Amino acid sequence: MPDPNLPHELDAERLLDAVRHLSVTIGPRRPTSRGEREAADYVHETIRRLNRHWELTNQPFRSVTGFHVRIAPLAALTGLSLLFGLRRSRQAQITGGLLSIALSIMSRDAFLARPSVWETWLPRGESGNVIVRIPPRRKIERRVVFVAHLDSGVHRLTTNGRVARYLPYTLGGVTLMALTGGVLSVLAGRQARWRGLRAFVGLSALGAAGLAVADEAGPSTEGAVGNASGVAVLLGLAHALARHPLESTEVVLAFTGTGTATCTGADVLATAYGEAWKDALWVVVDHVGAGELCWVTRHGISPYAYYYPHPDAVRVMERVADARPDLGLMGKAVLTIDELAILRDRDLRAVALMGYDRATGLIPHWRQVSDTIHAIAPETLERAAHACWTTARVMDESDTWPFEK
């Protein structure tokens, strides 16, 4: 049964005020844009008004503005290398094939949110994280880090509900195209075997490069579900903890930048604090404003670049689900690229809380212009806040951490 003593700061009406300010008053918040910086200022001012004694940190950084700067060059180079390998010359076949195989490894890194080598020379915009540390009543024995990105994305062709399920075969297929095409090129021989198939794969890779660029040419989204909802939940936690601090668990709220582009904010956060907070529980709160709630059991849009939550973090979410069956919380694989990739790459005890559509299994309004304040389901938003509050309480009240299997 729901806990009647849950903090009223987590009520849907209060959470909606923050969603409305971010998605309507501020509006679109593209990575490195003025809107994203205004969202960071809003969060900073809100936290500062709550408690001036909390440790509040701004963490500025510079970042590229879109995911296409990583995947489009890789897809284009894959296509060109495979077309080069169509020659009957064994040297050309081997050179083109080996280059394509190397590009498959680099594209896998891109789908795991790892930076590309050429990003150093690309134009960058200003972004930043806002981090607040909320102390417990007594000495700190444990730590929970909640992460939510401030930015909203652009309307994407590939995440439309009718075609999003094909992402592993379009943009997500670049890795497979590069690997398969490269191996076939190396093995083609002087008879130039599989020439038609290799030409098809090469042209498909070039098409994927064009799709990657076109995919980010759409209009800005207001990002109510993604991710004003996550930011609102974290702000709700801050309000609740201001009046009801935990006993021995420090709660860190990290509001990150460029989450819809390259997850640079999460990378900067993990670089600065990952080692010091290696024993913490990390929870990414993303797209929790509509649909049903789950902890994600498998992330990724490329079959060769899936990533998974830490088992210790999953055990916490299982306890939360047992403690609050009314939340309808369950584990589920979701088609997504998100900040958990960065955190798991550092071997942090991280898990993601997300919303999903019960009929399609996809994230509701994922990078779509329909992602407005009208797409918010207040009951889902409130359940997400309750799930995060319960997560913090479960950690605070447990005898041991990590939990035993």
Side-chain angles (χ1 to χ4, degrees):
M1 293 294 291
D3 184 351
N5 298 317
L6 283 165
H8 64 83
E9 290 86 359
L10 304 180
D11 292 348
E13 293 78 6
R14 291 173 176 263
L15 300 172
L16 278 170
D17 288 340
V19 174
R20 188 173 293 107
H21 186 92
L22 289 162
S23 63
V24 179
T25 304
I26 296 177
R29 306 172 305 284
R30 284 199 184 206
T32 75
S33 70
R34 178 178 177 180
E36 185 193 53
R37 293 190 291 274
E38 288 180 359
D41 291 341
Y42 164 70
V43 166
H44 188 281
E45 292 168 5
T46 301
I47 297 294
R48 181 55 72 210
R49 286 197 301 269
L50 277 175
N51 191 318
R52 293 188 174 275
H53 300 292
W54 288 347
E55 182 180 321
L56 182 59
T57 304
N58 288 335
Q59 195 178 37
F61 59 86
R62 297 182 66 83
S63 173
V64 294
T65 59
F67 182 65
H68 69 281
V69 303
R70 290 183 178 173
I71 198 62
L74 290 168
L77 288 172
T78 295
L80 293 174
S81 67
L82 293 177
L83 294 179
F84 176 75
L86 292 177
R87 300 181 180 186
R88 292 186 180 276
S89 163
R90 287 297 291 149
Q91 183 178 3
Q93 292 169 355
I94 293 174
T95 300
L98 291 179
L99 176 58
S100 184
I101 292 171
L103 289 167
S104 75
I105 298 172
M106 295 177 68
S107 64
R108 181 179 184 273
D109 286 346
F111 287 119
L112 291 175
R114 295 167 183 164
S116 301
V117 293
W118 51 79
E119 286 183 38
T120 304
W121 298 282
L122 294 178
R124 293 170 175 252
E126 294 181 1
S127 185
N129 300 332
V130 180
I131 305 161
V132 58
R133 302 177 64 170
I134 303 176
R137 298 179 188 273
R138 304 198 304 264
K139 179 182 176 181
I140 297 174
E141 296 180 3
R142 300 186 185 91
R143 181 176 289 111
V144 183
V145 184
F146 292 98
V147 181
H149 67 82
L150 294 160
D151 54 303
S152 61
V154 298
H155 179 82
R156 293 179 180 267
L157 302 172
T158 57
T159 57
N160 181 283
R162 293 188 293 271
V163 299
R165 69 192 64 191
Y166 302 113
L167 259 173
Y169 314 107
T170 53
L171 288 183
V174 171
T175 305
L176 180 60
M177 294 177 199
L179 179 61
T180 304
V183 171
L184 291 177
S185 295
V186 171
L187 300 178
R190 295 191 181 279
Q191 295 80 21
R193 288 171 293 187
W194 313 296
R195 183 180 176 85
L197 177 58
R198 289 186 288 126
F200 174 76
V201 174
L203 292 173
S204 297
L206 290 176
L211 178 60
V213 175
D215 203 30
E216 295 192 31
S220 300
T221 68
E222 293 182 7
V225 176
N227 190 36
S229 63
V231 175
V233 165
L234 265 60
L235 289 176
L237 285 177
H239 280 88
L241 290 166
R243 298 189 60 181
H244 312 282
L246 300 181
E247 290 299 318
S248 57
T249 301
E250 180 184 58
V251 175
V252 180
L253 307 178
F255 304 86
T256 56
T258 70
T260 61
T262 54
C263 300
T264 308
D267 194 9
V268 172
L269 175 72
T271 298
Y273 297 101
E275 189 59 35
W277 297 346
K278 201 169 184 63
D279 293 332
L281 170 69
W282 297 67
V283 183
V284 174
V285 185
D286 197 358
H287 286 82
V288 291
E292 306 298 324
L293 293 178
C294 70
W295 68 86
V296 182
T297 57
R298 189 190 71 193
H299 304 242
I301 66 170
S302 173
Y304 293 91
Y306 289 137
Y307 51 100
Y308 304 87
H310 195 286
D312 291 344
V314 170
R315 282 191 281 274
V316 175
M317 302 310 293
E318 290 172 343
R319 287 201 182 185
V320 171
D322 289 342
R324 291 290 308 274
D326 57 297
L327 298 178
L329 195 60
M330 61 181 290
K332 182 175 177 58
V334 176
L335 203 63
T336 173
I337 294 182
D338 52 70
E339 294 172 304
L340 191 90
I342 296 288
L343 304 181
R344 289 299 295 122
D345 213 25
R346 309 297 179 90
D347 198 29
L348 298 173
R349 291 185 171 94
V351 67
L353 177 68
M354 287 190 177
Y356 70 95
D357 182 81
R358 183 181 296 177
T360 66
L362 301 172
I363 298 172
H365 308 281
W366 187 27
R367 308 286 195 272
Q368 298 292 294
V369 290
S370 60
D371 186 5
T372 68
I373 187 69
H374 305 293
I376 292 290
E379 65 278 6
T380 303
L381 186 65
E382 184 173 278
R383 283 190 286 119
H386 289 183
C388 290
W389 174 258
T390 306
T391 299
R393 292 294 301 271
V394 164
M395 285 289 290
D396 194 48
E397 295 172 5
S398 63
D399 295 328
T400 61
W401 167 250
F403 299 160
E404 295 181 0
K405 298 181 181 180

